Structure formats: C-alpha cells, structure tokens
Amino acid sequence: MMRLFVYPFLPYRSFFFPFLVLSAIAVPCWLVFRLYRLRTSGHGLSFRRELLLLTFVVYLCGLATATLIPNHNSRSAAQAAMGIDLRPNLASLTCSSPGLPKGSTARAFCLHNARGNAMLFFPLGILMPLVWRRLRFWRAIQIAIAVSVSIELVQYLSTGWSNRNADVNDVILNVLGACLGLAIVFLLQLLRGNRPAVARA
C-alpha cells in the first residue's frame, strides 16, 4: 500500500532536498516578516489566514524547485520527445504526434510532462482565491499566465546551465491546471451562496 502511494512521486525525488533547503530559508524569513507586519499593523491574528499564507509560501518554494533548479535529465528526455516548441501545438499538448508511437519512451515522457505541467499549477488555482478572497476569476488567470510565462522566460535564459527548455505548450498546460483549481474553488463558493470578505495580505 505504501509503495503505491510513494511510486508516483519517485520521478521527483531529486527535487526533495533542494525543496527542503529552499523551504528552510524561505519559511523562517516569511514568519519573521509576518510577525513584524502583525506587530506594526495592529490587526488581530487569524490562525486560518496565517496558515493559508504559509501554505502559499511553501507551495511557491515547491514551484520554484520543480521548475527552476538545474535538471540534468530533462534535456535528453525532452529532445527525445519533441524538442523545443515555441508555437502552440495540439499534437504536442495531447501527445498524439505521429513521431510518438504508443508505448514508446518519448510518448511516456510526453504524457508525464503534460500531466505534471497541469498539476503543477492546480494548487495555485486553489490557493489564489483563498488567499485573496475578492480576486476575480479572470484576474487570477492573468496571474497564472504571468507566473508561467516568467518561469518559461527564466528557463529560456538559463538553458545553457539548467538543461531546461522553454515551451509555450507548458504555459498552456500550466494555465489549464490553474483554471481547474480556480473553477473548483469558485464553484464551491457559488454553491455556498456567499463571497468571503476582503482578506488583508
């Protein structure tokens, strides 16, 4: 049973240590900042609010680790799959390219990459409307696009040493994942029949 739970996360095991290091730096800095902010602002402490903000910070650490640290295995795998694609490509998004036969390693990498890019931004779609309670749906999508494009830009500029490739199809998958998370939260809010009040950052 434990093996079935752990197995899907094995491809990301190389990110665990960098994630822990980054979190060990970012989380204490964030806590100090929040303590200072709460002390100087005079607002009361909301445990739920602080827990949400801390979760968001930890998620950003994971996002940075998964997308920006050097990955010595990604270049060969990406080139074997379809290389660099700077234009939206339905065949690339759906892994239905004729050059990716069923059962091939390249197709398996493509499917894994597509699912990973979508699920990577799924928590962002959930957390944004919870942290900023009056954030409009379209503004949240704009934020998701800006974050994804920024990541791809950094990957493009650091290709020489990070072994990462920029791909506009990744942006599309990222935004789709964020939209799914946003849709779930906004649907639940509509079913509850209320919109939470503004939350202070």
Side-chain angles (χ1 to χ4, degrees):
M1 181 63 69
M2 183 61 67
R3 183 178 180 181
L4 292 176
F5 177 77
V6 174
Y7 181 77
F9 297 96
L10 290 180
Y12 304 101
R13 61 187 180 275
S14 61
F15 300 120
F16 288 163
F17 181 71
F19 167 70
L20 292 176
V21 172
L22 183 58
S23 297
I25 297 172
V27 170
C29 292
W30 172 255
L31 293 176
V32 170
F33 168 76
R34 287 304 295 173
L35 288 173
Y36 173 79
R37 180 71 181 274
L38 290 170
R39 185 175 180 179
T40 56
S41 65
H43 296 298
L45 176 65
S46 170
F47 180 77
R48 178 178 178 276
R49 171 70 175 162
E50 297 306 321
L51 184 60
L52 273 174
L53 289 171
L54 182 60
T55 302
F56 192 67
V57 170
V58 173
Y59 164 73
L60 291 179
C61 290
L63 182 63
T65 302
T67 58
L68 300 179
I69 67 169
N71 185 0
H72 299 295
N73 298 320
S74 64
R75 172 173 293 180
S76 59
Q79 289 177 343
M82 60 188 64
I84 299 176
D85 189 356
L86 299 179
R87 293 179 299 178
N89 188 323
L90 183 61
S92 299
L93 291 170
T94 59
C95 299
S96 58
S97 172
L100 299 174
K102 290 184 178 180
S104 66
T105 303
R107 182 179 175 83
F109 171 79
C110 177
L111 292 171
H112 173 75
N113 182 68
R115 288 194 298 265
N117 275 296
M119 295 308 299
L120 194 62
F121 270 55
F122 178 73
L124 181 65
I126 292 178
L127 289 170
M128 282 193 296
L130 295 178
V131 173
W132 297 287
R133 296 189 180 186
R134 287 199 175 173
L135 183 67
R136 295 185 179 274
F137 188 86
W138 296 112
R139 180 55 61 88
I141 292 179
Q142 291 173 358
I143 294 174
I145 293 174
V147 173
S148 182
V149 169
S150 298
I151 289 173
E152 295 301 317
L153 179 60
V154 172
Q155 289 180 344
Y156 173 76
L157 295 175
S158 63
T159 299
W161 62 273
S162 67
N163 290 344
R164 290 185 176 275
N165 294 325
D167 191 346
V168 70
N169 296 292
D170 289 350
V171 176
I172 296 174
L173 291 167
N174 290 160
V175 175
L176 286 176
C179 286
L180 179 60
L182 284 166
I184 291 175
V185 174
F186 278 88
L187 179 61
L188 290 175
Q189 290 177 344
L190 289 175
L191 291 176
R192 291 176 59 187
N194 64 341
R195 294 287 298 176
V198 179
R200 295 183 178 88

